[in-house]
Amino acid sequence: MKNKNHITVLGAGVSGLTTGIVLAENGYKVSIITKVLPKQTTSAIAAAIWFPYEAYPANKVNSWSRRSLLRFKHLAHNEDSGVSFIPFTAYLDTRQKPWWLDALPGENILDDNVQHPGHPEYKGYTLNVPLIETPIYLEYLLNRFKKSGGEIIKQEVTSVEELEAYFPVVNCTGLGAKHLFNDEQLYPIQGQVVRVAPDQKIQGMATEYELEDQEMAYIIPRRDGVILGGSAKKHQTSTKADPSLTERILTYCSKFEPAVLELQVLNVKVGLRPGRPEIRLEKDPQLPVIHNYGHGGAGYTVSWGCAEEVLKLL
């Protein structure tokens, strides 16, 4: 076992990098061990916007999301971070208030009564929320981690026995924890996104109104293109794009923003979100390990709050 002030983080997605930064900037010597570099992780495929999606339990996710929001407000002042605030309309079933609205300060709710174009029983909330441009942001996090004295070790870990030389460990392996720590509660949530050419006039939106089974519409405008989605297919493990789903995504999104059909398709990507009945953020009962995984579709949204929680547990 290493010096207790030397911590190993497993995984270099948004959770691993953010956790590494928080620990390194609070006096720990941190090494991140990762099979792939940040731009090859699932985090690189995310759209990504502040939106607590497919992450539980609600009370903890709200707290972690609120703490992350404060960090993103600060980061939005740094042009190199890839973080900015944009108006984003979420169309929801009006029969119940979305639980995650409690994580947003009142000034971030710009309009709470936007009409859904096709379904009057749904209304939209226009929110002022962080847009995280993943190619820029992951590079920013990696550089910030290295500047704070952190090191990246590119290595695949396939068993807990291999970790013994690196204890204590913070486990941010996402779906990898299913095999590494025998977590049968973890399951993949397959998401497909289409990136089309950028258009500054297009507004961000998402709807929880499911058009086909486990499919929805969302539009996220970035500098490198407009990200259109998408799907949230539980227990699907393929990362191969489905051309028919690409067509449905374009059709879904065009109902809210017809201009997307005129934009060139740049690429289609599929990622596997780490789904779990609850985010696992706790000390392991048997090992010198703190777990921080199972963030569903909210990895970026809870990233700073969860990293601060890891620091508290340490």
Side-chain angles (χ1 to χ4, degrees):
M1 189 181 288
K2 309 187 307 297
N3 180 304
K4 66 183 175 65
N5 281 328
H6 190 172
I7 307 293
T8 302
V9 175
L10 286 186
V14 68
S15 297
L17 284 173
T18 309
T19 300
I21 288 167
V22 168
L23 299 185
E25 291 180 355
N26 281 276
Y28 288 92
K29 171 72 178 163
V30 185
S31 302
I32 290 178
I33 297 181
T34 181
K35 179 182 172 183
V36 294
L37 293 175
K39 288 191 177 179
Q40 282 78 53
T41 63
T42 299
S43 296
I45 299 171
I49 200 153
W50 185 100
F51 198 76
Y53 181 68
E54 289 286 352
Y56 314 96
N59 60 333
K60 288 184 177 179
V61 169
N62 268 348
S63 171
W64 295 328
S65 300
R66 200 177 299 117
R67 283 151 65 185
S68 296
L69 186 72
L70 292 173
R71 291 274 198 159
F72 287 129
K73 279 186 176 176
H74 182 72
L75 285 166
H77 296 294
N78 180 346
E79 287 183 8
D80 297 331
S81 72
V83 177
S84 59
F85 275 70
I86 63 165
F88 184 80
T89 301
Y91 294 99
L92 308 158
D93 192 329
T94 55
R95 288 168 292 192
Q96 55 188 6
K97 181 188 171 188
W99 55 267
W100 48 262
L101 267 185
D102 293 336
L104 268 179
E107 67 264 23
N108 287 72
I109 302 170
L110 305 177
D111 190 343
D112 63 1
N113 195 24
V114 184
Q115 186 68 44
H116 189 292
H119 296 273
E121 73 273 23
Y122 280 72
K123 73 170 180 177
Y125 292 84
T126 299
L127 316 168
N128 186 36
V129 293
L131 164 71
I132 301 110
E133 305 210 34
T134 51
I136 303 168
Y137 185 66
L138 288 172
E139 189 70 21
Y140 164 80
L141 290 183
L142 181 61
N143 290 335
R144 180 166 162 180
F145 173 67
K146 288 177 176 175
K147 280 179 185 167
S148 61
E151 66 167 346
I152 298 276
I153 301 168
K154 199 161 176 285
Q155 177 184 326
E156 184 174 7
V157 176
T158 57
S159 70
V160 171
E161 288 72 34
E162 291 174 50
L163 282 178
E164 288 178 4
Y166 299 105
F167 286 155
V169 163
V170 182
N171 170 31
C172 299
T173 55
L175 276 178
K178 186 178 181 75
H179 165 73
L180 196 56
F181 291 93
N182 301 313
D183 187 343
E184 291 305 315
Q185 295 188 68
L186 262 176
Y187 57 90
I189 306 174
Q190 182 200 63
Q192 182 164 315
V193 294
V194 181
R195 183 166 67 97
V196 297
D199 184 335
Q200 298 302 313
K201 298 185 292 296
I202 285 180
Q203 294 276 307
M205 60 73 58
T207 178
E208 289 184 344
Y209 176 74
E210 296 187 340
L211 302 116
E212 294 270 339
D213 184 38
Q214 301 180 78
E215 296 176 12
M216 72 289 295
Y218 56 84
I219 300 172
I220 298 177
R222 299 195 322 205
R223 276 175 276 188
D224 65 341
V226 181
I227 308 299
L228 309 177
S231 60
K233 297 185 185 289
K234 295 178 180 178
H235 306 287
Q236 295 291 317
T237 56
S238 171
T239 54
K240 189 175 180 213
D242 174 356
S244 63
L245 176 54
T246 297
E247 290 305 313
R248 288 198 298 279
I249 287 170
L250 290 166
T251 302
Y252 296 160
C253 294
S254 70
K255 291 176 181 174
F256 296 87
E257 188 65 74
V260 300
L261 294 179
E262 297 163 24
L263 300 172
Q264 181 189 353
V265 173
L266 301 178
N267 58 36
V268 180
K269 291 187 177 179
V270 178
L272 302 176
R273 307 175 183 99
R276 201 173 183 275
E278 291 194 352
I279 291 171
R280 189 177 186 196
L281 211 175
E282 63 181 6
K283 289 184 179 179
D284 190 290
Q286 269 99 36
L287 298 164
V289 173
I290 292 173
H291 296 287
N292 178 18
Y293 67 86
H295 305 105
Y300 285 85
T301 304
V302 299
S303 57
W304 289 100
C306 287
E308 290 169 8
E309 191 80 11
V310 168
L311 178 65
K312 276 190 199 171
L313 288 173
L314 275 173

